């Protein structure tokens, strides 16, 4: 939590001086705790329900922690309006690890059995290791000889390629 530390220029110090009366540390801690518990409840679901949890977290983010909704701790509310999205994105990143793990395990297993690249698509369709969200088989990209997992992140990390 930023508290107007040293190393700031004159404008930053003046801004902090004017905002400090509206900075309530305990209220911010309480808000953050409530947010963390809320997100823990939202994402405490089976993998098949994580896509719906992501939508619910985004909806909550849009309705919760609105800045300038009150004078008391409005600077803390500004901080919280950004924080909710960051923690929600982190939960998605952690959930996506399971899909990446399964895809990597599948590639390692097929390689250990000496499966030829041309036969990988057939083995992907038959494998018990599947996309954790949809239970569909992982995709195969012949051009890169990679097993593909499409996660839920909304950036370049959403698509994971595990080279065969």
């Amino acid at each position: 939590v930023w508290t107007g530390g040293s190393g700031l220029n004159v404008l930053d110090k003046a801004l902090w001086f004017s905002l400090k009366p509206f900075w309530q540390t305990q209220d911010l801690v309480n808000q953050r705790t409530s947010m963390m518990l809320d997100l823990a409840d939202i994402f405490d679901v089976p993998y098949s329900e994580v896509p719906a949890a992501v939508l619910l977290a985004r909806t909550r983010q849009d309705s919760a922690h609105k800045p300038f909704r009150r004078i008391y701790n409005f600077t803390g509310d500004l901080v919280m309006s950004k924080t909710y999205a960051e923690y929600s994105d982190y939960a998605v990143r952690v959930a996506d690890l399971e899909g990446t793990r399964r895809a990597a395990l599948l590639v390692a297993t097929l390689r250990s059995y000496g499966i030829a690249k041309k036969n990988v698509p057939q083995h992907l369709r038959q494998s018990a290791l599947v996309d954790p969200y949809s239970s569909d088989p992982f995709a195969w990209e012949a051009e890169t000889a990679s097993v593909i997992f499409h996660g839920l992140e909304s950036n370049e990390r959403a698509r994971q390629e595990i080279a065969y």
Side-chain angles (χ1 to χ4, degrees):
V1 175
W2 181 70
T3 57
S6 63
L8 302 174
N9 64 36
V10 175
L11 183 59
D12 289 337
K13 288 180 181 179
L15 182 62
W16 175 243
F17 182 76
S18 65
L19 293 176
K20 190 175 180 181
F22 303 102
W23 178 266
Q24 303 296 327
T25 303
Q26 186 60 53
D27 184 61
L28 184 61
V29 169
N30 292 345
Q31 284 188 59
R32 186 168 283 161
T33 301
S34 177
M35 174 205 59
M36 297 287 260
L37 290 171
D38 188 37
L39 285 172
D41 287 342
I42 290 171
F43 284 98
D44 187 21
V45 295
Y47 281 104
S48 61
E49 296 175 24
V50 170
V54 171
L55 295 176
L56 178 58
R58 288 185 182 142
T59 301
R60 294 266 177 95
Q61 172 192 341
D62 292 341
S63 65
H65 311 296
K66 296 285 185 190
F68 307 114
R69 65 184 161 89
R70 60 191 182 149
I71 293 176
Y72 181 81
N73 197 25
F74 78 83
T75 53
D77 292 343
L78 278 171
V79 170
M80 285 303 297
S81 68
K82 301 292 183 197
T83 303
Y84 202 97
E86 291 170 3
Y87 282 105
S88 180
D89 291 346
Y90 180 74
V92 172
R93 193 172 317 130
V94 170
D96 280 356
L97 284 174
E98 176 60 15
T100 304
R101 183 196 72 81
R102 289 182 188 188
L105 178 59
L106 181 54
V107 166
T109 302
L110 294 177
R111 289 181 77 185
S112 73
Y113 290 135
I115 304 298
K117 289 179 185 177
K118 67 179 183 174
N119 297 326
V120 170
Q122 172 190 348
H123 287 276
L124 293 178
R125 289 189 296 273
Q126 296 170 347
S127 177
L129 289 168
V130 295
D131 181 301
Y133 304 130
S134 66
S135 297
D136 292 335
F138 289 107
W140 172 253
E141 187 174 88
E143 301 83 47
T144 61
S146 300
V147 172
I148 308 298
F149 166 64
H150 293 282
L152 300 176
E153 282 196 89
S154 57
N155 58 30
E156 67 279 352
R157 288 188 296 235
R159 185 178 194 272
Q160 296 290 320
E161 294 181 20
I162 312 298
Y164 189 74

